[in-house]
Amino acid sequence: MKKIVILGGGYGGLAVVQQLLEGSIPADTAIVLVDRMPFQGLKTEYYALAAGTVSDKEIRVQFPVDPRLVMKYGDVQSVDLEAKVIHFDQDEPLAYDQLVIALGCVDKYHGIPGAEQFSCSIQSLSATRKTYQRTNDISPYGQVTIVGGGLSGVEMAAELRESRPDLNIRILDRGASILSPFPEKLQRFVREWMLEHEIELRSHVSLSRLENGVLYNGEETIRTDITIWTAGIQPSPIVQQMNLEKDAMGRLIINQYHQLPSYPEVYIVGDCASLPFSPSGQAAGAQGKQVGDIIKALWKNETPRLDRIKLKGVLGSLGKKSGFGVMGKRTVMTGMVPRALKSGVLWMAKQHLG
């Protein structure tokens, strides 16, 4: 029996599974999905769980139930590309014939001493649960510091303001403005929203180290009750261990069919793959769908035909009543419409519709 193993049930890995399950599967082929959890966690919504505005259950999606799909749960420790074997923390190794690595990303701490030890994360469901408990245990009028003014940091700050109006909230960013990659019109709207809701914005902050309750911006000390880290990501440690060609972000270089050039039986999907755009759930899902189509074409001994991946845009929330977005290349939306659109996208994800 040939085994197609998908590591990771996030946006990319699940898209591969869904695409493979559409239509017939060769009788001599088994599909195995490996994940730590018995459900997908909607990572783009972890900020809401950390803030306390949604429950854990609201951001879970059940994996497909299909007799052709085998589920395996466990923590992957390493992948032996030569032997075609996956090693686990507390389980027997798993051999594969084809492999999809869709293990997502982890926080990047940029070598800042104490950053990992003294900050909270929203990169995994387990870490987000801990962040929720710590954040919501803060005494009234306590100080929350969010490091990183990108999409995750902005959404985290806004959602926390809705959940805990008593708290003092600040965002620290190395750049001149929050959401610096976005159009100025959008940046200005979000900055004004933050100031209106009494969220402190500090730019050009370059942290040199973190200690318990203290952040150091050069010689300046910044006091805080809790620090939430949203200042960058990097591929899964499994990918970091691989001695293969990578881009400047540490993502694996792939060919036009999303395969490792030296190991064409291995596909790289999502945050672990070197793609011509920033990591996102949308990009991972689109790429995963293509990988599913490639594998199905190979089953039929056909040459895969692929279109260029086109992303629809980016949506962000400012609590439950406002939001922002960029559609296409530069079309900016602000207010209730992009927030409603994001709610619709979330509903579709929960229904396995994209």
Side-chain angles (χ1 to χ4, degrees):
M1 181 70 75
K2 297 177 182 177
K3 287 182 184 175
I4 300 176
V5 178
I6 297 99
L7 298 183
Y11 295 103
L14 189 54
V16 176
V17 170
Q18 291 170 329
Q19 201 67 8
L20 292 178
L21 292 178
E22 288 187 5
S24 59
I25 295 172
D28 65 344
T29 300
I31 300 173
V32 182
L33 175 59
V34 178
D35 202 271
R36 287 180 292 190
M37 297 289 189
F39 46 77
Q40 178 198 14
L42 294 175
K43 192 171 186 177
T44 57
E45 305 303 309
Y46 283 1
Y47 69 90
L49 174 59
T53 57
V54 303
S55 70
D56 187 307
K57 189 175 181 181
E58 288 180 71
I59 56 172
R60 298 184 204 164
V61 175
Q62 190 66 41
F63 288 133
V65 177
D66 191 297
R68 300 169 297 172
L69 176 65
V70 177
M71 294 298 308
K72 179 175 176 60
Y73 306 112
D75 279 309
V76 177
Q77 292 299 297
S78 64
V79 176
D80 187 333
L81 297 173
E82 298 294 338
K84 296 184 180 181
V85 171
I86 302 155
H87 295 280
F88 294 89
D89 182 22
Q90 295 180 339
D91 208 344
E92 294 297 316
L94 175 66
Y96 63 84
D97 295 283
Q98 289 179 292
L99 177 66
V100 178
I101 298 178
L103 289 170
C105 62
V106 295
D107 287 302
K108 185 172 184 178
Y109 296 102
H110 309 284
I112 299 173
E116 183 173 7
Q117 182 181 358
F118 296 110
S119 70
C120 296
S121 172
I122 56 171
Q123 281 301 323
S124 71
L125 191 53
S126 176
T128 303
R129 289 177 178 132
K130 295 174 183 176
T131 300
Y132 159 73
Q133 182 171 358
R134 284 202 57 194
T135 301
N136 286 277
D137 281 348
I138 296 175
S139 299
Y141 311 107
Q143 178 68 60
V144 177
T145 301
I146 297 167
V147 180
L151 182 60
S152 295
V154 163
E155 290 188 310
M156 181 73 235
E159 202 77 9
L160 190 57
R161 168 55 72 226
E162 186 168 293
S163 173
R164 291 287 304 272
D166 59 290
L167 293 178
N168 296 299
I169 303 170
R170 70 162 69 98
I171 299 177
L172 307 181
D173 195 75
R174 293 185 66 179
S177 170
I178 56 174
L179 299 175
S180 56
F182 290 81
E184 172 57 31
K185 178 182 176 181
L186 186 151
Q187 292 181 41
R188 185 168 59 252
F189 173 82
V190 177
R191 285 197 304 266
E192 290 173 356
W193 189 97
M194 292 285 169
L195 295 175
E196 180 184 345
H197 291 81
E198 299 183 329
I199 294 173
E200 179 187 358
L201 303 177
R202 290 200 51 186
S203 57
H204 300 298
V205 174
S206 184
L207 296 179
S208 55
R209 74 180 192 275
L210 276 69
E211 294 178 359
N212 187 25
V214 185
L215 296 80
Y216 291 87
N217 177 33
E219 296 301 316
E220 178 193 11
T221 58
I222 301 173
R223 301 287 175 177
T224 187
D225 291 299
I226 184 174
T227 301
I228 300 174
W229 194 268
T230 64
I233 58 173
Q234 58 186 336
S236 160
I238 306 302
V239 167
Q240 293 179 41
Q241 295 170 15
M242 294 181 174
N243 187 23
L244 297 170
E245 186 180 4
K246 298 170 184 172
D247 65 14
M249 294 178 64
R251 304 180 299 180
L252 289 164
I253 301 297
I254 54 177
N255 64 19
Q256 62 180 324
Y257 296 121
H258 310 297
Q259 300 160 320
L260 289 177
S262 302
Y263 302 91
E265 71 279 4
V266 180
Y267 300 84
I268 310 299
V269 171
D271 301 338
C272 298
S274 183
L275 299 173
F277 24 72
S278 299
S280 69
Q282 182 184 171
Q287 191 196 9
K289 184 177 183 296
Q290 284 198 349
V291 168
D293 287 336
I294 292 167
I295 293 173
K296 290 198 290 187
L298 295 178
W299 284 342
K300 301 174 184 177
N301 293 316
E302 297 175 353
T303 300
R305 298 177 59 185
L306 301 177
D307 295 323
R308 185 170 62 90
I309 292 176
K310 297 179 181 179
L311 303 184
K312 297 178 181 178
V314 179
L315 294 169
S317 68
L318 296 170
K320 295 292 188 288
K321 297 180 181 179
S322 187
F324 55 90
V326 179
M327 305 306 289
K329 291 186 177 179
R330 305 294 289 181
T331 302
V332 171
M333 298 186 300
T334 58
M336 193 61 207
V337 171
R339 185 65 185 89
L341 287 174
K342 186 176 181 187
S343 295
V345 170
L346 177 60
W347 182 86
M348 291 178 67
K350 289 181 177 180
Q351 308 304 314
H352 292 300
L353 297 176

